[in-house]
Amino acid sequence: MPDSLSTTSVPLPLLDRIRAIVGPKGVIEDASEMRRYTVEWRDIYVGRVPLVVRPASTEEVSAVMRLCYEAGVPVVPQGGNTGLVGGGVPHEGGNEILLSLDRMNRILAVDPVGYTMTVEAGCILKTIQQTAADHDRLFPLSLAAEGSCSIGGNLSTNAGGVQVLHYGNARNLVLGIEVVLPDGRIWNGLRALKKDNTGYDLKDLFVGAEGTLGIITRAVLKLWPKPKDVATSWLAVRDPAAAVEILSGAHAASEDNVTSCELMSRQGVEFVLAHLPGTSDPLAARHDWYLLLEWSSSRPRREGSASMAERMEAYLADCLERGLVLDAALAQNEAQAQAMWKLRESHSEGQKLEGPSIKHDISIPVARLAEFVGKGIAAMKQVVPDCRPVPFGHVGDGNLHFNCQSAPGQDKAAFFAQAEAISHAIYDLVTSFGGSISAEHGIGRLKIDELPLYRSEVELDTMRAIKRALDPKNLMNPGKVVRI
Amino acid sequence: MPDSLSTTSVPLPLLDRIRAIVGPKGVIEDASEMRRYTVEWRDIYVGRVPLVVRPASTEEVSAVMRLCYEAGVPVVPQGGNTGLVGGGVPHEGGNEILLSLDRMNRILAVDPVGYTMTVEAGCILKTIQQTAADHDRLFPLSLAAEGSCSIGGNLSTNAGGVQVLHYGNARNLVLGIEVVLPDGRIWNGLRALKKDNTGYDLKDLFVGAEGTLGIITRAVLKLWPKPKDVATSWLAVRDPAAAVEILSGAHAASEDNVTSCELMSRQGVEFVLAHLPGTSDPLAARHDWYLLLEWSSSRPRREGSASMAERMEAYLADCLERGLVLDAALAQNEAQAQAMWKLRESHSEGQKLEGPSIKHDISIPVARLAEFVGKGIAAMKQVVPDCRPVPFGHVGDGNLHFNCQSAPGQDKAAFFAQAEAISHAIYDLVTSFGGSISAEHGIGRLKIDELPLYRSEVELDTMRAIKRALDPKNLMNPGKVVRI
């Protein structure tokens, strides 16, 4: 069995046979051309492979996998290479093949009546969103990397984003998948069924497995009615507890049409305002906490019935009266709504431009979110007293990006030397809240050694048993999620 | 390895040790008392066990499982014994232990703010529904057996019901579970998290596994806002194609508040009217096809805004004009709504009282539902020309109970002799539509030998690999779902 971290090279005859399967367009071997596949986009990992293979069909993926399986060569599947935990990046040893799905990027079918779309795994998320919109439908997965991430990667990581609250995460947006197994066999689970109780839920096992059990090659996605009446507001709120309360009441006030509810702190917003050109504060005064609230209805505005904006306004007036909301700006047009979203979606960029930061993608039960924010900030400051906490995220999911920005001008190396202590302080607290150390980004390579600290031996052991059962040679994206 | 169909008996010392763990209240050994556990409720299977064990806690379940694992004795877990495929019924050989969860029936916690409820697996579904309602919340799982089925069984079978359209099936109603593994180890996955991407999705593997991978002992359920404004109508519709079109438009017209959309044929309704006292036809004239449509909003009716009933009425007027709806009755009060639901929910009883029938629980892509109904009826009649097809079910899920009633006065044995031919005709058609031979009931014992005919060898083999990995001795509800 090959050790994924060894420097054993891939046998040359295997490379020849792979070239023969996929043809000249299907391989990249030039070192500089390979970099966009082998280097993690934030330069955290720099992998090395002899060859990037880009199959054009499921059959080609299958043939390549079969060869690698027989030769005992590990394969790293990759979508848009936008992941945040190194799940799609090869190791440094040069003994793995990188298999990119980027040539399998076709929309295969759209069924607006049945509310489904069938796509190849390499389809860019944005293309899927736009195709749905062209058919008066919505594919609700929405996240910062949507212009370059692929649906195969989204499914393999069970991606989250800003509309999980209403539509669920990627797992909930897919009806069926096709998977090439580690030995090259093809599982056709490409079913467009809302209900199917014929045995174990294989689909949900491959979704979120980060390519360690097989390669998702095609998918039948669910579509929703396209929103016709959207209200967006930017709120200054009393505190995180108020944010939870505002959301709790918003469900009924909007008739279950809350599609986003994003919490931000002044600190995070300030980084955006300072570094991103063209951004401005929608409110006159400074406030400590903000909420971006969006309600969407699939029913067009009509005479004699209150629009979403009118209903939201009425609800916010009530929240102002109760002291939950301190000030509010309701977007008057699409441009204003987009400007509010820009403040939210530039949070990562704002932090990056401000300087070094240590990131956490955690979740806790929604009801305890406010309590966690207070204790989490205190825990962070106990380790690094002058750090600048930047908590933000998805209130309805109990999912916070609980980041820690270095003090202005602090030495980068000295700051990162504290990374482990900060992360463990946060993760220990998360665990005491019954939470998760990876709400939406996954485990990949980044958290593979953290997972055993925060999940039970029984849980890890069950995962390992599944991994061994489906990938007995440990050739499928080894060294990610779980070690066997 | 014991053969589950052999007549090897369970070692007596093991029974003594089990008695010692659970005490006198925890065992039933009297043959007549055991019958309500060992006999399938429709008398399709009559199992035999030396002992029914009824643990009072997860720890007792764990201790019993450990003993049985060491002794190599198979265990059949059981909830309310209301399943439709024999998944919870022991075999005839007498070499299995039946483990009932019926003493573990406590509600452990209700969190209305976080919209969760934590329960033991033996909790009766109705109790859970009522507890949610007492807290102004909704637990949306709703099905005919709700007064006696248990949540552990609902989760183990990934139960469906009449509100899947809006809320999803049981899989979508649970955040976390606790499972006792075949060797007695306890997996605590009892997390109240909306998002958690820390490794493989174990929860969804145990949900729907019909007790063949472990025993679900506790669960954290999701709650929803309680509906405050509900509109129910009974419609005569042009045909099944019209039903699909009515539902398709209803999403937007109701602002995504369609909670049920149930199709029935005149034949099924007639059996109910003929055999169930106190039922009556809501409409004056006879029609071939009916639809029960329900819209529910969590926002109370208020001045100046159209109620659900008003909106539904406006939409139905439009559907009447377009010839989709032929006649309609809108429930004016709760009693009228219940009377409409009684016509739908008594369908199984009506058929039972009418005489023998052969049942199918199938699903197909929603967009092709009408086409399937036509071809399915033709396929049935080709095998048994004078049979009476009774198709009914959940339009939004593409899930039909596609039943076949014998001709009046037909000999029972002669009718059932044709069962396999009828079922295969239907299942072959389902497969040609990319459908499922078990949409919500599961595989259990009833369909274990059908599954390999309608699912690929790759799929079966992957299921077997998982079963072997998690239950290497094949002691966990053997002979159900998949054979290894």
Side-chain angles (χ1 to χ4, degrees):
Chain A
M1 199 181 294
D3 175 355
S4 63
L5 298 174
S6 79
T7 53
T8 319
S9 62
V10 177
L12 295 180
L14 175 69
L15 300 182
D16 285 338
R17 293 177 69 190
I18 290 175
R19 290 183 196 103
I21 289 166
V22 296
K25 279 188 189 167
V27 288
I28 296 178
E29 306 188 62
D30 176 80
S32 68
E33 277 183 59
M34 282 200 285
R35 281 186 59 83
R36 70 188 179 94
Y37 297 93
T38 55
V39 178
E40 201 260 0
W41 63 280
R42 295 161 307 178
D43 282 337
I44 295 180
Y45 300 111
V46 180
R48 190 165 67 83
V49 292
L51 180 111
V52 171
V53 57
R54 303 165 67 219
S57 67
T58 301
E59 291 64 34
E60 287 187 8
V61 174
S62 166
V64 169
M65 291 305 293
R66 187 170 299 119
L67 283 183
C68 291
Y69 184 78
E70 285 162 6
V73 170
V75 175
V76 180
Q78 188 181 87
N81 195 16
T82 63
L84 292 156
V85 291
V89 182
H91 290 100
E92 295 75 17
N95 70 322
E96 298 171 317
I97 295 289
L98 193 151
L99 190 152
S100 168
L101 279 300
D102 63 354
R103 281 176 75 212
M104 291 178 62
N105 60 359
R106 289 176 305 160
I107 305 273
L108 300 173
V110 184
D111 173 3
V113 178
Y115 285 81
T116 65
M117 190 191 302
T118 307
V119 300
E120 288 183 325
C123 258
I124 301 298
L125 175 53
K126 189 109 199 159
T127 308
I128 294 171
Q129 293 169 345
Q130 283 169 347
T131 305
D134 293 345
H135 289 80
D136 197 31
R137 295 291 177 262
L138 172 76
F139 183 66
L141 187 63
S142 175
L143 40 88
E146 61 197 26
S148 48
C149 65
S150 73
I151 190 67
N154 297 146
L155 293 173
S156 292
T157 57
N158 186 27
V162 295
Q163 300 200 106
V164 173
L165 167 61
H166 192 68
Y167 300 98
N169 47 23
R171 187 182 300 293
N172 196 47
L173 311 181
V174 61
L175 291 173
I177 52 175
E178 175 189 76
V179 176
V180 175
L181 299 177
D183 61 6
R185 286 180 301 161
I186 300 167
W187 172 52
N188 184 345
L190 215 53
R191 302 195 267 266
L193 302 175
K194 299 280 172 80
K195 279 161 116 177
D196 180 23
N197 278 350
T198 49
Y200 304 148
D201 182 10
L202 302 184
K203 182 191 78 180
D204 285 313
L205 193 57
F206 291 110
V207 169
E210 304 184 33
T212 64
L213 300 177
I215 302 178
I216 297 174
T217 44
R218 293 193 287 174
V220 181
L221 306 174
K222 283 194 226 174
L223 301 178
W224 272 258
K226 190 171 161 180
K228 295 288 164 60
D229 181 6
V230 178
T232 310
S233 62
W234 179 265
L235 315 176
V237 299
R238 192 191 64 207
D239 53 24
V244 174
E245 210 174 327
I246 291 163
L247 174 60
S248 184
H251 290 304
S254 70
E255 289 187 271
D256 278 327
N257 283 311
V258 183
T259 42
S260 289
C261 184
E262 300 284 304
L263 180 71
M264 288 154 280
S265 71
R266 179 71 199 177
Q267 185 67 87
V269 172
E270 248 168 30
F271 291 156
V272 176
L273 294 173
H275 299 293
L276 278 290
T279 54
S280 65
D281 191 334
L283 301 174
R286 292 167 55 104
H287 296 275
D288 290 340
W289 294 98
Y290 298 100
L291 203 60
L292 201 172
L293 188 64
E294 192 159 278
W295 297 2
S296 310
S297 167
S298 53
R299 201 168 75 138
R301 287 173 215 190
R302 56 170 79 180
E303 289 293 323
S305 185
S307 71
M308 272 289 145
E310 284 161 350
R311 291 193 222 172
M312 186 185 272
E313 204 167 359
Y315 178 63
L316 293 179
D318 180 49
C319 292
L320 269 158
E321 216 165 83
R322 290 160 62 203
L324 300 172
V325 169
L326 307 176
D327 197 3
L330 197 68
Q332 298 303 313
N333 51 48
E334 177 64 22
Q336 286 186 7
Q338 278 179 6
M340 291 172 183
W341 271 110
K342 171 119 183 173
L343 291 176
R344 165 62 185 87
E345 293 199 327
S346 304
H347 257 58
S348 290
E349 213 174 332
Q351 284 168 87
K352 192 177 170 183
L353 294 168
E354 175 71 15
S357 67
I358 296 158
K359 302 193 169 188
H360 310 98
D361 162 45
I362 61 95
S363 68
I364 31 131
V366 178
R368 300 188 68 190
L369 186 134
E371 183 192 352
F372 179 86
V373 169
K375 290 187 176 169
I377 288 174
M380 230 177 235
K381 288 199 166 272
Q382 199 170 4
V383 181
V384 183
D386 60 352
C387 76
R388 293 175 292 173
V390 188
F392 66 100
H394 322 293
V395 176
D397 312 330
N399 175 196
L400 293 174
H401 302 295
F402 211 80
N403 299 346
C404 179
Q405 192 84 20
S406 61
Q410 197 193 347
D411 176 67
K412 193 172 169 179
F415 178 67
F416 281 122
Q418 297 163 307
E420 199 177 311
I422 289 179
S423 294
H424 284 182
I426 294 300
Y427 293 158
D428 289 349
L429 188 68
V430 164
T431 303
S432 77
F433 274 68
S436 167
I437 66 162
S438 186
E440 55 179 14
H441 296 168
I443 297 300
R445 213 172 140 177
L446 190 67
K447 297 186 182 174
I448 191 169
D449 294 320
E450 298 290 334
L451 193 60
L453 306 177
Y454 299 100
R455 289 292 179 240
S456 68
E457 185 53 29
V458 173
E459 185 160 333
L460 269 289
D461 199 50
T462 306
M463 288 188 204
R464 284 189 289 257
I466 291 166
K467 169 75 173 169
R468 274 191 296 264
L470 301 192
D471 181 22
K473 291 189 179 182
N474 193 24
L475 297 176
M476 195 73 255
N477 208 10
K480 315 288 168 63
V481 184
V482 69
R483 296 192 203 282
I484 62 170
Chain B
M1 198 180 296
D3 175 356
S4 63
L5 297 175
S6 80
T7 52
T8 319
S9 63
V10 177
L12 295 180
L14 175 69
L15 299 182
D16 285 338
R17 295 177 68 190
I18 290 175
R19 290 183 195 104
I21 290 167
V22 296
K25 280 189 190 165
V27 288
I28 296 178
E29 306 188 61
D30 177 80
S32 68
E33 277 183 58
M34 283 200 285
R35 282 186 58 83
R36 69 188 178 96
Y37 297 93
T38 54
V39 178
E40 202 262 358
W41 63 282
R42 294 162 307 178
D43 282 338
I44 294 182
Y45 301 111
V46 180
R48 190 165 68 83
V49 293
L51 180 110
V52 172
V53 57
R54 302 167 65 220
S57 67
T58 300
E59 291 64 35
E60 288 186 8
V61 175
S62 167
V64 170
M65 291 305 293
R66 186 170 299 119
L67 284 182
C68 291
Y69 184 78
E70 284 161 8
V73 170
V75 176
V76 180
Q78 188 182 89
N81 194 18
T82 63
L84 291 157
V85 291
V89 183
H91 291 100
E92 295 74 18
N95 69 321
E96 299 171 317
I97 295 288
L98 193 151
L99 190 151
S100 168
L101 280 300
D102 65 354
R103 282 176 75 212
M104 292 179 60
N105 60 359
R106 290 175 305 159
I107 305 273
L108 300 172
V110 184
D111 175 2
V113 178
Y115 284 80
T116 65
M117 190 191 302
T118 307
V119 300
E120 289 183 325
C123 258
I124 301 298
L125 176 54
K126 189 108 200 160
T127 308
I128 294 171
Q129 293 168 346
Q130 283 168 347
T131 305
D134 292 344
H135 289 80
D136 197 32
R137 294 291 177 263
L138 171 76
F139 183 67
L141 187 63
S142 175
L143 40 89
E146 61 198 26
S148 47
C149 64
S150 74
I151 190 68
N154 297 147
L155 293 173
S156 292
T157 56
N158 185 28
V162 295
Q163 299 199 105
V164 173
L165 168 62
H166 192 67
Y167 300 98
N169 46 23
R171 187 182 300 292
N172 195 48
L173 311 180
V174 61
L175 291 172
I177 53 175
E178 176 189 75
V179 176
V180 175
L181 299 178
D183 61 6
R185 287 179 301 161
I186 300 167
W187 172 51
N188 183 345
L190 217 51
R191 303 196 267 267
L193 302 174
K194 299 280 173 80
K195 278 161 116 177
D196 179 23
N197 278 349
T198 50
Y200 305 147
D201 183 9
L202 301 184
K203 181 191 79 181
D204 285 312
L205 193 56
F206 291 110
V207 170
E210 305 183 34
T212 64
L213 301 177
I215 301 178
I216 296 175
T217 43
R218 292 193 288 174
V220 181
L221 306 174
K222 284 193 224 174
L223 301 177
W224 273 258
K226 189 169 161 181
K228 294 290 165 61
D229 182 6
V230 178
T232 310
S233 62
W234 179 267
L235 314 176
V237 299
R238 192 191 64 206
D239 52 24
V244 174
E245 209 174 327
I246 291 163
L247 174 61
S248 183
H251 291 304
S254 70
E255 290 187 89
D256 277 326
N257 283 311
V258 183
T259 42
S260 289
C261 183
E262 300 285 302
L263 180 71
M264 286 153 281
S265 70
R266 178 70 199 178
Q267 185 68 87
V269 172
E270 249 168 31
F271 291 157
V272 176
L273 295 173
H275 300 293
L276 278 290
T279 54
S280 65
D281 191 333
L283 300 174
R286 294 166 54 105
H287 295 276
D288 290 340
W289 294 97
Y290 298 100
L291 203 60
L292 201 171
L293 188 63
E294 192 159 277
W295 297 2
S296 310
S297 167
S298 52
R299 201 168 76 137
R301 288 174 214 188
R302 55 171 78 179
E303 289 292 322
S305 186
S307 71
M308 272 289 145
E310 284 161 349
R311 290 194 223 172
M312 187 186 271
E313 205 169 357
Y315 178 64
L316 293 180
D318 181 48
C319 291
L320 269 158
E321 215 164 86
R322 289 161 61 204
L324 300 171
V325 168
L326 307 176
D327 198 2
L330 198 66
Q332 299 302 313
N333 51 49
E334 178 65 22
Q336 287 186 7
Q338 278 178 7
M340 291 171 183
W341 271 110
K342 172 119 182 171
L343 291 177
R344 163 63 185 88
E345 292 198 329
S346 305
H347 257 58
S348 290
E349 214 174 333
Q351 284 166 86
K352 192 177 170 182
L353 294 167
E354 174 71 16
S357 65
I358 296 158
K359 301 191 170 190
H360 310 97
D361 163 44
I362 61 95
S363 68
I364 30 132
V366 178
R368 300 187 68 190
L369 187 134
E371 184 192 351
F372 179 85
V373 169
K375 290 187 176 169
I377 289 175
M380 229 177 236
K381 288 202 166 267
Q382 199 169 5
V383 180
V384 183
D386 60 351
C387 76
R388 293 175 292 172
V390 188
F392 65 100
H394 322 292
V395 177
D397 313 330
N399 176 196
L400 293 175
H401 302 295
F402 211 79
N403 300 346
C404 179
Q405 192 84 19
S406 62
Q410 198 191 347
D411 175 68
K412 193 172 170 180
F415 178 66
F416 281 123
Q418 296 163 310
E420 199 177 309
I422 289 179
S423 295
H424 283 183
I426 295 300
Y427 293 159
D428 289 348
L429 188 68
V430 163
T431 303
S432 77
F433 274 68
S436 167
I437 66 162
S438 186
E440 57 179 12
H441 297 168
I443 297 299
R445 214 173 140 177
L446 190 67
K447 296 185 182 174
I448 190 169
D449 294 319
E450 297 290 336
L451 194 60
L453 305 178
Y454 299 102
R455 288 292 179 241
S456 69
E457 185 54 29
V458 174
E459 185 159 334
L460 269 289
D461 199 50
T462 306
M463 289 187 203
R464 284 188 289 256
I466 291 167
K467 170 74 173 169
R468 276 191 295 264
L470 301 192
D471 181 22
K473 291 187 179 182
N474 194 24
L475 297 176
M476 193 76 255
N477 207 11
K480 316 286 169 66
V481 184
V482 69
R483 295 191 203 283
I484 63 170

